Amino acid sequence: MSSSDQSSATQRGGVQVVVTAFLALFCIVGMALWGLPYYYDFMMREFGWTRAQVTSGNALSKLIVGPIFAFIAGWMIDRFGPRRLMMAGILMAGIALIGLGSISNLGMFYIFYFFNALGYIFGGPLPNQVLLSQWFDKSRGKAMGIAYLGIGLGGAVVPLMSYALVQHFGWHNALRALGCAIIVISFPMAFFLKEQPPRGSRALAEVATPRSNSAFKTASFYLLTLGSMCSIAAVSGTQQNLKLFLSVDQHYAQNEAARIISLVLTFSIAGRLLMGWLADHFPKKYVMILIYTLVAAGIALLFLSPTRMTMYLFAAVFGIGLGGDYMIVPLVAADIFGLKVLGRLMAFVLMANGVAEAAAPWFIGHMRDVTGNYSSGFMALIGIALLGAAAALPLPRKAATISPNVAAASPSS
């Protein structure tokens, strides 16, 4: 194949990869993960559950699934590629929402939330981060930003879609419809995905470059993991309780609560584009610190003055921080440690994030049940987000150098 043909094939393949990742993240994170909290107050009213109970499905499923399956998923991605796991994850995420639309007790709730967690690990950020890192080099931040727009768009659309579906068909059928939509939208692209870039591309050359598992022994890896855990805890603790805070504590109407939640995810779209561009032009650890600071500032707005005007400012600040949260860690990890063991590294981070993502919403909900308000919980989340920013400060500023053989390879996507 000539260099021009190879370049054209790489470009076409890169577009397919970005579209596939966009749709997978749109469905599995935007619709399934961020969409489910919209239904918590309906479950509380119908089944008489507490805030701690409706947030415990996410907590228990992530605490069980993360430690058991995350590292296995990372090893499988490094060994066999991300495509097969993505297809399995998409199917499980769709089945989870269909099942949650049919629950009548806590046992069924936990079973289908277990499938939701499996879908997130197998089809969510982990395989998509590795896939995008394999295909892109210099434009990796931009590609990751575009693909991760799927989370923002999915999260922005699903509250409004859910409101309309619930009004016409009830919340049970609304969840079933979302589950079917996840499979129809994202499975076909993953099925036809070409997961390896053409031979000779710089991205593929870097994948083939040997890297030692000594990354697991470095302080940078554990600082990166701590920073990611703190930010995920702050984001998840806020987002999973936001609908309850708005509709139950602040007495917002359902359509107004849906509008604010949608606005958060709409601003996250701008945040992903902005943070992706910044990550391609500035040291990534500073972009990480900026993201975590924005998350803390957004939560502070909820704590200090939960007026309607402040809520819209919260949506802007928190949404922009949220936009960069998921995508910045794999960019930093790829720079510091390379791509050879990226699947296993990110699986470890995902496993740690799963614990944080599981515990934080339940803990904040429990604090609200005990104290009668969210003030102490929001204060805790602000401190956690700032701890994440502090953990990012000692990380290396510059990307790891690439061997001369890799540098001499052909241009990347």
Side-chain angles (χ1 to χ4, degrees), residues 158 345 385:
V158 73
L345 291 174

Side-chain angles (χ1 to χ4, degrees), residues 49-410:
W49 296 344
T50 65
R51 290 171 180 80
Q53 286 176 315
V54 295
T55 55
S56 66
N58 179 69
L60 291 177
S61 62
K62 293 286 175 62
L63 288 173
I64 294 171
V65 170
I68 296 174
F69 291 98
F71 201 79
I72 295 174
W75 177 85
M76 292 178 68
I77 289 170
D78 285 339
R79 181 68 177 83
F80 303 108
R83 175 176 167 270
R84 295 177 182 86
L85 262 71
M86 286 178 65
M87 291 192 294
I90 290 166
L91 290 175
M92 285 187 282
I95 291 170
L97 264 64
I98 294 171
L100 285 167
S102 307
I103 61 171
S104 58
N105 56 64
L106 270 176
M108 295 176 66
F109 178 70
Y110 291 142
I111 288 171
F112 287 111
Y113 238 116
F114 176 83
F115 276 95
N116 184 60
L118 281 175
Y120 178 82
I121 287 178
F122 288 157
L126 176 59
N128 287 286
Q129 288 165 356
V130 175
L131 180 69
L132 291 163
S133 296
Q134 288 178 347
W135 272 85
F136 295 90
D137 178 27
K138 288 183 178 179
S139 57
R140 189 175 292 153
K142 181 174 71 174
M144 199 84 71
I146 294 172
Y148 270 63
L149 290 179
I151 296 178
L153 186 59
V157 167
V158 73
L160 305 178
M161 184 188 303
S162 293
Y163 174 75
L165 289 170
V166 169
Q167 293 301 306
H168 288 88
F169 306 108
W171 72 265
H172 292 279
N173 287 326
L175 272 175
R176 295 181 188 123
L178 291 180
C180 293
I182 285 173
I183 297 172
V184 171
I185 291 171
S186 57
F187 187 83
M189 287 297 294
F191 182 82
F192 292 107
L193 177 68
K194 182 179 179 181
E195 57 189 353
Q196 285 290 345
R199 291 187 176 275
S201 72
R202 179 170 177 175
L204 184 60
E206 190 178 350
V207 172
T209 303
R211 297 296 177 100
S212 170
N213 286 340
S214 62
F216 290 99
K217 302 175 183 178
T218 65
S220 293
F221 174 70
Y222 292 100
L223 286 170
L224 181 66
T225 303
L226 174 61
S228 181
M229 284 183 69
C230 289
S231 180
I232 290 294
V235 165
S236 181
T238 304
Q239 193 73 5
Q240 293 276 323
N241 283 277
L242 184 57
K243 175 71 183 306
L244 297 174
F245 175 71
L246 293 173
S247 64
V248 180
D249 287 48
Q250 299 298 313
H251 309 295
Y252 282 69
Q254 289 290 326
N255 61 337
E256 193 171 10
R259 190 181 308 119
I260 292 172
I261 296 169
S262 177
L263 193 60
V264 170
L265 277 299
T266 300
F267 274 104
S268 79
I269 295 173
R272 285 184 175 88
L273 290 175
L274 174 62
M275 299 307 168
W277 182 87
L278 289 174
D280 282 338
H281 292 83
F282 298 95
K284 294 177 177 59
K285 81 164 190 176
Y286 296 134
V287 180
M288 176 180 282
I289 292 169
L290 173 62
I291 290 168
Y292 294 175
T293 303
L294 286 172
V295 169
I299 301 170
L301 291 170
L302 285 180
F303 170 71
L304 294 173
S305 179
T307 64
R308 274 168 168 74
M309 181 174 294
T310 308
M311 288 304 305
Y312 289 103
L313 183 58
F314 153 79
V317 175
F318 184 80
I320 292 172
L322 172 65
D325 185 64
Y326 280 88
M327 57 175 279
I328 192 61
V329 175
L331 294 176
V332 174
D335 256 11
I336 298 174
F337 304 111
L339 302 181
K340 181 64 176 179
V341 293
L342 185 62
R344 277 161 281 180
L345 291 174
M346 291 310 303
F348 186 94
V349 173
L350 182 66
M351 182 172 61
N353 285 351
V355 174
E357 189 175 25
W362 173 85
F363 179 67
I364 300 304
H366 177 70
M367 289 179 71
R368 167 60 180 83
D369 289 335
V370 171
T371 64
N373 60 69
Y374 276 107
S375 296
S376 56
F378 288 157
M379 278 292 291
L381 292 176
I382 293 168
I384 291 170
L386 293 176
L387 177 60
L393 275 171
L395 291 175
R397 177 180 173 181
K398 295 183 179 179
T401 58
I402 301 174
S403 67
N405 291 335
V406 175
S410 60

